[in-house]
Each structure stands twice: as C-alpha cells, then as structure tokens.
Amino acid sequence: MESPAFDLAFEPAYGRAVPVAPGVERITAENPGPFTFYGTNSYIVGASSVAVIDPGPEDEAHFHALMAALAGREVTHIFVSHTHRDHSPLARRLQAATGAVTVGQGPHRPARPLRDGEINPFSESSDLAFVPDIALGDGQTLSGDGWSLTSVATPGHTANHAAFALEGRDILFSGDHVMAWSTSIVAPPDGSMADYMASLERLIERQDGLLLPGHGGPVTRPAAFLQSLKAHRLRRERAILERIRAGDRGIAEMVKAIYHETDPKLHGAAALSVLAHIEDLVERGEIAADGPPSLAATYRLL
C-alpha cells in the first residue's frame, strides 16, 4: 500500500536550540523510540519574552537544555498540544522554574468511555496530572511580546489535542496530529478516527505554509502532504473493507494481510489503528460487529 512521501532526514541536535523560523527555535529531547522518532520537539517562540510549546518528557538533560536556551529571557506561557507523557510532564518543572502559566485544551480524557472489560492500551502513556492554568478553547488566542498563538482544536490522536497557529506568520505547530516522518497513531479509546479525519480536513482548509510537528522535521509543503495523508487513510479504510469482503472476520486476520510488510512488533499498534477505522465504519453503517467494536469482535459487511 503506497504511503505518503515521508521525510526521515532529521538532525536532532540534542541539547541545542536550533532556529527553524524567524523567532522560533526547536530543542529536541533525547527520547527516541518507535513512536517518538528521534525525540520530542520543544519550541521556543519569541525574543526577550517567550512562550514554550510542548516542554516534553520529565527528562533532566532536556530540562537543563531548555533552561540554558531560555537564560536571560522571560517565559510567560507554556503551551501543551496534548497530554501524552512525551509532551506535557516537564511543564510542571518548567513552570516552577519560570513562573509561566500553562496552556492547553484541557486535561486528559478519552475520545469515548471504556467499554465493559476494555483496557486502555495507552493508559501508561497518558499524563493524567496535567491540568492547564488556562484552558484555551478552539479559536482563542493568547499573545505575548511579539507573538500571538491561536488554538486550533485537532482531536483524533487524543481527544484533547490542539495545534497552535502563529498569527501573521503562516506557521502551525501541529503536535502529533501531522508529522513529516510518519502517520499519527490513532488508538481507541484515547483516539478517534472520525475525529482525526475531520481534523485533517480542517488543516487542509486552513492552507498553512509551514507545519512544525512534535517529532521530526518540518512539513514544508503542507497542502500536498495533508492530501496524501487523507488519501492514505482512505486507502487503509478500503483495504479493511476488502479484507472483510474477502472473508476476514477478525482484526488479527486483517492486520496480517494489510500490514504484511510491517515489523510484527508493530502489529499491536496496527491492530489499534484498524480498530479506529472499524469504529468509524460501524458508526457510519458500512459494517456490523457481533457486539461493541473491539479487538476481539468479528465483523461483516452490511
């Protein structure tokens, strides 16, 4: 199955602030992994009085790198795109050191309630302790010395995911919703494919000129890349329908066929992505389940 043209070229420059646009610097935490690429990107926006976007994980070296880059500057706001442990936990320590207020869409919450007997596979990845001082609603703007950031609600990866638009600059800090190196994980019950696709459509309509994501390098041609992400998800949806049409009834069967070229170690995450698509398909009346949609349920076309 053809994928978008992902860009894997990235130099994390751990411990250093790297200018990525006028008035914007990136510092990458050294927390590489299959879901974080080289690590989490923290951004500093402004000059003498600044905002920090996505302070990152609770990591000693990353905290000191941020503090070194911020030396001599006032930090007024700490923005958090969403409450996964690779993005929000360091906000508490950074706030204690700087006195800045924390900003986000809201505390962590699932996209839907847990069903009877269901376990949230990403519960340990969620930062349940983060509660922003300012719950910034969709379309609301906060301003500082030479910068203004507007919240763009982009649920899907998590229910409380928000991107932040740098006003007057055609730049969007896209968090984990859109990344140049990979597709975003959408895993129920924290994530919702219907929400993700609606958020993707919203960014297509925005026509931003540059996306700065939570992991990896920038998306320099957002219009084409966003369309390719949308097409990729629609192809995945069609592949699921084709597997059910071919006789597959369970998600495990579908994953083996659809992700046959993917490292089997990632099949667990792939199964959750398939479940996210299936929940959407059931909601839209395209397929039916033998009960509530789940990893163990069986499915048929309607």
Side-chain angles (χ1 to χ4, degrees), residues 11 21 23 43 103 115 181 195 230 240 264 276 292:
E11 171 51 59
Y43 294 96
V103 183
R115 300 189 175 108
W181 74 283
D195 288 348
K230 177 182 176 180
I240 292 168

Side-chain angles (χ1 to χ4, degrees), residues 68-263:
L70 294 166
R73 297 191 276 185
E74 179 189 19
V75 183
T76 59
H77 297 79
I78 301 167
F79 288 78
V80 169
S81 66
H82 65 292
T83 45
H84 277 160
R85 289 186 180 275
D86 56 325
H87 287 262
S88 56
L90 201 61
R92 292 180 280 279
R93 192 171 175 189
L94 189 60
Q95 180 179 48
T98 64
V101 296
T102 57
V103 183
Q105 197 276 334
H108 192 82
R109 65 182 188 277
R112 60 161 175 77
L114 280 170
R115 300 189 175 108
D116 289 344
E118 185 180 22
I119 297 173
N120 184 347
F122 282 94
S123 59
E124 293 185 1
S125 301
S126 304
D127 181 6
L128 302 180
F130 178 80
V131 179
D133 297 321
I134 299 174
L136 198 64
D138 183 39
Q140 292 184 321
T141 301
L142 286 176
S143 300
D145 183 15
W147 56 265
S148 292
L149 288 165
T150 298
S151 177
V152 181
T154 47
H157 175 63
T158 61
N160 68 346
H161 194 287
F164 301 107
L166 185 55
E167 294 299 333
R169 298 287 304 282
D170 207 18
I171 293 173
L172 184 78
F173 297 92
S174 56
D176 281 8
H177 181 59
V178 177
M179 302 174 288
W181 74 283
S182 177
T183 55
S184 178
I185 294 172
V186 181
D190 272 11
S192 161
M193 189 59 68
D195 288 348
Y196 172 85
M197 293 299 286
S199 296
L200 200 59
E201 194 65 45
R202 185 176 189 192
L203 294 200
I204 290 171
E205 293 171 0
R206 281 183 55 84
Q207 299 183 334
D208 293 291
L210 179 70
L211 306 186
L212 296 176
H215 306 277
V219 178
T220 57
R221 298 178 60 224
F225 190 71
L226 289 166
Q227 288 289 357
S228 71
L229 286 178
K230 177 182 176 180
H232 174 73
R233 295 290 186 175
L234 293 175
R235 286 194 298 270
R236 187 73 74 203
E237 180 182 285
R238 288 196 297 271
I240 292 168
L241 291 172
E242 288 168 4
R243 291 314 310 168
I244 296 175
R245 190 173 293 113
D248 289 355
R249 291 293 173 262
I251 287 177
E253 297 172 88
M254 300 178 208
V255 168
K256 286 181 181 178
I258 297 170
Y259 293 87
H260 63 277
E261 295 182 352
T262 301
D263 185 342

Side-chain angles (χ1 to χ4, degrees), residues 31-55:
N31 60 325
F35 302 127
T36 58
F37 198 33
Y38 283 94
T40 303
N41 293 330
S42 299
Y43 294 96
I44 301 171
V45 183
S48 60
S49 179
V50 304
V52 173
I53 298 175
D54 280 346

